[in-house]
Amino acid sequence: MSRAETPSQTVGPFFAIALPWAGGAEVVSPGTAGAVRIRGRVLDGAGEPVADALVETWQADPAGGFDHPDDPRGAGTRGFGGFGQCGTGADGGFSILTVKPGALPAPGGGVEAPHLDVSVFARGLLSRLVTRAYFPDEAEANAADPVLHSIADPVARTTLIAVAEEGGLRFDIRLQGDDETVFFEL
């Protein structure tokens, strides 16, 4: 007896309908000291925009603490939740307003450079993709970051570093192809 291949199942498209909430793309209020806007696009392997994707960020506050009961350091910034969420538009674009997080202690000693943890949900993905966005003005910290250092290919490593642009930072996420963003196994 031979068995036919099981058809694939996709998730969505429901992200723009069911998940985003009003103000989710603002981790901090407009006008917050040190606020930075991170813009980007989610692109497929052919470089085409992925509409109706969802980008989520999770980060420490500027002092390096998380607003989470498992973080003994705690969030030092009152009212800072550290979580952002933005659906992509027809152009694959997203925009999140946040502040630069502080450095974090690394397992086994050392320090992780300031970064955002980024999750991507999109149709055709059965599980979320997880990556990081590092800050371009942290060259020394980025060079010492154990996670960035664990990526052997220096070109691939650059897919995790946002690019400065007028009005903030740019962080494009490529799901496949030559310039594919580095994603982490969970």
Side-chain angles (χ1 to χ4, degrees):
M1 172 198 248
S2 66
R3 295 184 183 194
E5 192 173 311
T6 303
S8 65
Q9 300 292 313
T10 61
V11 176
F14 61 84
F15 300 112
I17 299 167
L19 295 177
W21 73 93
E26 294 179 348
V27 178
V28 296
S29 300
T32 299
V36 61
R37 182 154 308 273
I38 299 178
R39 292 180 180 89
R41 294 175 67 204
V42 178
L43 304 168
D44 67 14
E48 296 296 319
V50 177
D52 194 33
L54 185 72
V55 176
E56 292 182 342
T57 61
W58 171 246
Q59 69 178 84
D61 69 7
F66 285 95
D67 183 20
H68 193 277
D70 289 342
D71 187 348
R73 295 165 293 129
T77 305
R78 185 180 178 130
F80 182 81
F83 182 75
Q85 183 186 75
C86 184
T88 61
D91 66 349
F94 67 91
S95 174
I96 294 178
L97 183 68
T98 191
V99 291
K100 184 194 291 186
L104 300 171
V111 176
E112 291 183 3
H115 66 274
L116 307 178
D117 293 316
V118 179
S119 292
V120 180
F121 301 86
R123 74 181 83 189
L125 299 176
L126 295 178
S127 299
R128 69 183 172 135
L129 297 175
V130 177
T131 190
R132 285 184 170 188
Y134 288 86
F135 291 78
D137 62 344
E138 294 283 348
E140 188 175 322
N142 291 345
D145 184 89
V147 174
L148 275 175
H149 185 70
S150 72
I151 301 166
D153 180 356
V155 174
R157 198 177 305 135
T158 65
T159 68
L160 301 184
I161 301 173
V163 177
E165 68 174 12
E166 186 175 331
L169 298 174
R170 177 156 206 87
F171 185 70
D172 290 332
I173 301 168
R174 290 176 170 79
L175 302 179
Q176 295 177 318
D178 293 337
D179 297 323
E180 179 180 342
T181 301
V182 172
F183 298 103
F184 300 101
E185 291 183 27
L186 299 178

